[in-house]
Amino acid sequence: MGESGHRYKQNRFQQLRGFCYAAATGSISKAAKRIGLSQPSVSQQIQSLEGEIGVKLFVRNGSKIRLTHDGELLFEMAMSLVEQLEHLDEQFKQRRTEVDEGRIEIAAGWSTILYVLPKYVEVFRRAHPKIELRLHNVTGLEGLERLRTGLVDFAVGPLASVPADIEFHPMISYEAVVITCPGHPLARQKKLTLEDISRYPLILPRAI
């Protein structure tokens, strides 16, 4: 067996595809046109397949071909497999974009779960009622670690800087505010600067 025969032996799907389209159309030239190969290439695929499985698949009479009994059996078994593989990429893309069941794991802090996520969760649940959402109440750092290790699908929360291995998509933005008690010196100022605020001790959330 030459180099060409070895190449086909390594790809049984190509062999079966050439065979099935030749069987379905009753013509090697029509099969070659359907696949986008030359007629000699499809003939080589079929001959290599016959040599490897040790049976004659076609009775040849000039340019006409007819399935043998073994050929009919193989065609019956292989055609559905070839069609499935032919459309695998298309079906995979469709299933990815039209998922209607499954589970999504989301990591977020307590305040994010209480005040930010509810409206988004409600919209998602209405659009995808069969998909289960699970919320994990964790700190920001723990949420990132769970995301990195694949324990959750998404982590929701603020990021002071975006790590190189994390893809970050902003959901909301907000204005920072200073909350003081009545009568505090800052409360009497209409416009605050960081220098003004820095003169007083602050109570802040723990950094993530």
Side-chain angles (χ1 to χ4, degrees):
M1 183 179 292
E3 180 181 350
S4 179
H6 283 295
R7 182 172 68 252
Y8 289 125
K9 184 175 181 180
Q10 295 170 3
N11 196 334
R12 178 55 55 86
F13 169 65
Q14 294 294 342
Q15 294 174 335
L16 288 174
R17 187 172 69 153
F19 160 71
C20 284
Y21 283 131
T25 60
S27 166
I28 292 179
S29 61
K30 290 180 180 178
K33 186 176 181 180
R34 170 72 182 273
I35 298 172
L37 296 176
S38 67
Q39 182 172 337
S41 295
V42 175
S43 295
Q44 178 64 60
Q45 289 176 343
I46 296 172
Q47 290 171 13
S48 297
L49 180 61
E50 288 178 323
E52 289 171 27
I53 62 178
V55 298
K56 277 289 182 185
L57 299 173
F58 290 108
V59 175
R60 295 166 177 82
N61 183 10
S63 61
K64 296 181 180 180
I65 57 174
R66 178 173 55 84
L67 283 170
T68 63
H69 176 73
D70 289 324
E72 291 177 354
L73 177 60
L74 182 61
F75 178 63
E76 179 183 345
M77 296 175 62
M79 189 60 193
S80 61
L81 297 175
V82 170
E83 289 178 338
Q84 289 177 27
L85 287 173
E86 286 272 73
H87 299 96
L88 179 63
D89 289 353
E90 178 184 343
Q91 292 174 356
F92 177 65
K93 291 177 182 178
Q94 182 176 353
R95 288 290 298 272
R96 286 190 68 203
T97 57
E98 298 181 2
V99 175
D100 60 358
E101 59 184 15
R103 184 173 67 233
I104 295 178
E105 309 281 350
I106 301 176
W110 184 243
S111 59
T112 300
I113 292 174
L114 282 179
Y115 303 114
V116 176
L117 289 181
K119 64 180 180 180
Y120 295 100
V121 170
E122 180 63 24
V123 170
F124 184 87
R125 290 297 301 273
R126 289 179 180 176
H128 307 281
K130 294 183 179 180
I131 298 180
E132 179 185 1
L133 284 179
R134 289 187 178 181
L135 302 178
H136 300 255
N137 177 22
V138 296
T139 65
L141 286 176
E142 186 178 349
L144 288 179
E145 287 307 308
R146 292 193 182 194
L147 184 62
R148 287 187 173 103
T149 57
L151 293 176
V152 297
D153 301 295
F154 300 97
V156 183
L159 277 179
S161 60
V162 182
D165 62 333
I166 296 295
E167 186 175 343
F168 179 72
H169 297 274
M171 293 175 57
I172 61 173
S173 61
Y174 58 89
E175 294 292 334
V177 299
V178 175
I179 302 174
T180 70
C181 62
H184 192 284
L186 292 177
R188 294 193 294 268
Q189 294 184 224
K190 292 184 178 181
K191 187 175 181 180
L192 295 177
T193 66
L194 290 177
E195 183 179 359
D196 295 331
I197 299 171
S198 66
R199 298 191 182 102
Y200 301 92
L202 300 176
I203 301 176
L204 298 173
R206 184 174 58 183
I208 64 170

